[in-house]
Amino acid sequence: MTPLIVLTLVLMWQAVLVGYTFTLAGNASDEAVRAGTAAPPGGARQAACSAAGMKNLSAAWRGGAEVNCNPSGYVTARVELHVPVLFPGLIDFPATVTGHAGAVEEVKH
């Protein structure tokens, strides 16, 4: 019975890590698009977007993270994170979790 209980706990922990990765990806994309709408178009927007998207990610998720922003009038951010296997920072699943966000560019006066 003990191996079954341990296996159940391991699977539950892995499910928690998958859910937490989805939460991190969504939050990082929200932060990235918020910074991207306030930055001037061009390279500065992508830099601000990437920095804001990575700011709150721990090292375990930051290693394989990608933050991309669309530079048009409607700014979109896409964050891709790898799901760790059991312990963040050791091994990642080959699949990625993606977070999307979008907002209208702020008007400067």
Side-chain angles (χ1 to χ4, degrees):
M1 190 68 165
T2 303
L4 185 61
I5 292 171
V6 170
L7 178 64
T8 302
L9 290 174
V10 166
L11 292 176
M12 287 176 61
W13 174 247
Q14 188 60 51
V16 167
L17 285 177
V18 170
Y20 186 58
T21 304
F22 271 101
T23 302
L24 286 176
N27 182 55
S29 63
D30 288 342
E31 293 291 330
V33 81
R34 188 175 299 122
T37 58
R45 177 169 288 164
Q46 179 61 38
C49 187
S50 289
M54 295 285 210
K55 182 177 74 172
N56 293 326
L57 294 177
S58 68
W61 277 272
R62 191 180 300 145
E66 293 181 32
V67 179
N68 297 310
C69 286
N70 179 3
S72 68
Y74 182 74
V75 181
T76 59
R78 177 182 164 140
V79 177
E80 293 183 355
L81 301 176
H82 294 284
V83 178
V85 177
L86 295 180
F87 299 103
L90 293 179
I91 307 169
D92 293 334
F93 280 117
T96 59
V97 169
T98 305
H100 295 279
V104 177
E105 183 178 25
E106 293 181 10
V107 178
K108 309 276 193 280
H109 292 285

